[in-house]
């Protein structure tokens, strides 16, 4: 029994060691990515359901890996969060997206300026001096502050609601807008929701899918869109994949939609083509 146990431990050890080595290599790779400009942003249009036109974008991070090709965020954001690298990475994304927005606002003037929505992870929200980062950014990049939206998750809000509310209020005082991402999938209580200075609820794709999947209906989407209206917030439906879902959302007066039905996330040059076509009469 004793030798068997030893053998098991050895196998376990070597497995862990290999895992640790893979993680360390990826972490080193990720550092290199940040230093050598291998990160890039894709932009996914967010469409006004009333006008059918592009109202803004969500910036989504990609890693242009020299060997692995284009790596999706689910394959590297968790590690970036664990290692803390998400803080400089997130700061980079915020700057890059804001500068891109500035260019598009100038080139494609809208009565209501185009907006840019940027994901902020919990670690970045807590560890970074986000208020200062955003203030510096707005000082150096002349966009209307209200056209910058930060997407926060419910778990981030509920981890430390008091501290979170104070931070959010300071951002809101600069007129920056705040969204709750994947709304309905976390545990935020309605009582808290009311007290956070939030502008937008992003309705999670799982609820949008129920509209047309045959396994459920649009009831939850409708409840969230109504909740947003009552709380004087906007709603953005995420992951809209077909005309049936888009039609339903438009019928219940959901303000914005985002999803493959309208456009996939794409590099800035591609999105520019969409913007140009969108403005054509
Ligand atoms: P998310 O914030 O919920 O972003 C929406 C995800 O849904 C994106 O995946 C987008 O490509 C995808 N999507 C959009 N429309 C559709 C659709 O019609 N159908 C389907 N099936 N999917 C759709 P992506 O780009 O792979 O990003 C995954 C997650 O990675 C994001 O989820 C977000 O949590 C995280 N992420 C991405 N960029 C950043 C970033 O810059 N910072 C941080 N902290 N997280 C990021
Ligand atoms: Ca998001
Ligand atoms: Ca989301
Ligand atoms: Ca999500």
């Amino acid at each position: 029994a004793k030798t068997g146990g030893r053998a098991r431990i050895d196998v376990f050890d070597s497995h862990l060691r290999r895992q640790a080595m893979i993680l360390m290599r990826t972490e080193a790779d990720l550092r290199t990515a940040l230093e050598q400009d291998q990160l890039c942003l894709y932009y996914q249009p967010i469409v006004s359901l009333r006008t059918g036109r592009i109202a803004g974008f969500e910036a989504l991070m990609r890693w242009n890996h020299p060997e692995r090709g284009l790596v999706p965020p689910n394959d590297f954001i968790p590690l970036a969060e664990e290692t803390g690298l998400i803080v400089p990475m997130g700061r980079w994304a915020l700057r890059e997206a804001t500068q891109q927005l500035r260019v598009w606002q100038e080139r494609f003037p809208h009565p209501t300026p185009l907006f840019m929505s940027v994901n902020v992870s919990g670690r970045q929200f807590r560890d970074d001096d986000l208020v200062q980062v955003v203030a510096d950014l707005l000082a150096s990049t002349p966009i209307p502050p209200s056209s910058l939206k930060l997407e926060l998750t419910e778990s981030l809000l509920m981890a430390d609601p008091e501290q979170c509310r104070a931070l959010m209020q300071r951002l809101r005082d600069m007129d920056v807008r705040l969204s709750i991402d994947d709304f309905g999938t976390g545990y935020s209580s309605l009582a808290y929701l009311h007290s956070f200075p939030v502008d937008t609820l992003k309705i999670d794709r799982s609820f949008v899918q129920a509209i047309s999947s045959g396994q459920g209906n649009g009831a939850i989407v409708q409840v969230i869109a109504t909740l947003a209206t009552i709380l004087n917030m906007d709603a953005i439906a995420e992951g809209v994949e077909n005309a049936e879902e888009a039609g339903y959302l438009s019928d219940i007066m959901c303000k914005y939609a985002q999803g493959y039905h309208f456009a996939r996330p794409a590099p800035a040059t591609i999105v520019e083509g969409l913007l140009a076509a969108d403005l054509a009469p």
Side-chain angles (χ1 to χ4, degrees), residues 27-39:
E27 184 186 347
D29 277 3
L30 210 46
R31 259 179 223 289
T32 309
L34 190 60
E35 283 157 12
Q36 300 189 351
D37 268 356
Q38 292 171 9
L39 298 176

Side-chain angles (χ1 to χ4, degrees), residues 58 119 151 181-183 202-205 238:
E58 177 173 3
N119 292 286
E151 298 195 1
D181 205 354
D182 307 336
F183 185 77
K202 295 199 75 175
I203 306 173
D204 192 69
R205 180 167 78 90
E238 294 191 283

Side-chain angles (χ1 to χ4, degrees), residues 211-268:
I211 295 170
S212 67
S213 70
Q215 307 166 324
N217 54 43
I220 295 190
V221 170
Q222 194 170 2
V223 165
I224 299 176
T226 305
L227 180 66
T229 307
I230 291 170
L231 294 176
N232 208 12
M233 298 175 187
D234 292 336
I236 300 179
E238 294 191 283
V240 179
E241 290 188 348
N242 55 54
E244 185 186 351
E245 291 167 0
Y248 181 91
L249 290 161
S250 163
D251 287 347
I252 65 163
M253 313 261 269
C254 179
K255 190 161 180 186
Y256 299 112
Q258 170 184 0
Y260 297 168
H261 174 64
F262 301 99
R264 290 187 178 248

Side-chain angles (χ1 to χ4, degrees), residues 18 40-41 47 64 72 107 109 114 119 121 129 137 151 162 166 168 177-178 195 198 201 207 231 255 267 269:
R18 208 173 53 236
C40 65
L41 292 180
V47 171
N64 227 322
R107 207 171 298 165
L114 292 164
N119 292 286
S121 87
D129 192 355
L137 200 55
E151 298 195 1
E162 290 310 317
M168 289 168 85
R177 301 302 155 96
L178 302 166
S195 72
V198 167
L201 301 181
F207 305 128
L231 294 176
K255 190 161 180 186
T269 46

Side-chain angles (χ1 to χ4, degrees), residues 18-260:
R18 208 173 53 236
Q19 288 290 91
M21 270 173 61
I22 291 172
L23 276 186
M24 269 161 50
R25 228 193 63 197
T26 314
E27 184 186 347
D29 277 3
L30 210 46
R31 259 179 223 289
T32 309
L34 190 60
E35 283 157 12
Q36 300 189 351
D37 268 356
Q38 292 171 9
L39 298 176
C40 65
L41 292 180
Y42 272 31
Y43 299 94
Q44 185 175 34
I46 296 172
V47 171
S48 159
L49 284 167
R50 194 177 56 75
T51 64
R53 300 205 156 168
I54 298 174
F57 308 90
E58 177 173 3
L60 294 158
M61 209 185 283
R62 300 287 182 268
W63 177 7
N64 227 322
H65 194 283
E67 287 134 40
R68 288 160 69 193
L70 207 62
V71 184
N74 289 338
D75 291 359
F76 66 88
I77 297 269
L79 181 68
E81 272 166 358
E82 227 170 281
T83 56
L85 276 172
I86 193 66
V87 175
M89 284 165 64
R91 212 181 293 164
W92 168 82
L94 206 50
R95 174 166 298 278
E96 180 81 10
T98 306
Q99 288 172 349
Q100 184 61 71
L101 179 65
R102 159 85 177 142
V103 171
W104 285 341
Q105 281 183 350
E106 243 182 1
R107 207 171 298 165
F108 306 100
H110 280 53
T112 310
L114 292 164
F115 66 80
M116 183 67 74
S117 206
V118 183
N119 292 286
V120 173
S121 87
R123 181 110 182 221
Q124 186 189 359
F125 193 70
R126 280 187 304 272
D127 294 6
D128 203 0
D129 192 355
L130 196 62
V131 175
Q132 193 56 50
V133 168
V134 171
D136 290 348
L137 200 55
L138 291 174
S140 63
T141 318
I143 56 159
S146 60
S147 59
L148 180 62
K149 291 185 198 255
L150 304 181
E151 298 195 1
L152 314 171
T153 60
E154 288 172 277
S155 52
L156 183 161
L157 301 187
M158 298 316 291
D160 186 347
E162 290 310 317
Q163 193 206 1
C164 194
R165 182 181 303 116
L167 254 170
M168 289 168 85
Q169 193 54 55
R170 290 174 64 200
L171 291 163
R172 198 63 185 72
D173 288 344
M174 295 190 262
D175 209 22
V176 167
R177 301 302 155 96
L178 302 166
S179 310
I180 303 186
D181 205 354
D182 307 336
F183 185 77
T185 60
Y187 294 95
S188 60
S189 88
L190 291 182
Y192 272 116
L193 182 62
H194 191 45
S195 72
F196 285 122
V198 167
D199 307 280
T200 304
L201 301 181
K202 295 199 75 175
I203 306 173
D204 192 69
R205 180 167 78 90
S206 55
F207 305 128
V208 174
Q209 268 177 319
I211 295 170
S212 67
S213 70
Q215 307 166 324
N217 54 43
I220 295 190
V221 170
Q222 194 170 2
V223 165
I224 299 176
T226 305
L227 180 66
T229 307
I230 291 170
L231 294 176
N232 208 12
M233 298 175 187
D234 292 336
I236 300 179
E238 294 191 283
V240 179
E241 290 188 348
N242 55 54
E244 185 186 351
E245 291 167 0
Y248 181 91
L249 290 161
S250 163
D251 287 347
I252 65 163
M253 313 261 269
C254 179
K255 190 161 180 186
Y256 299 112
Q258 170 184 0
Y260 297 168

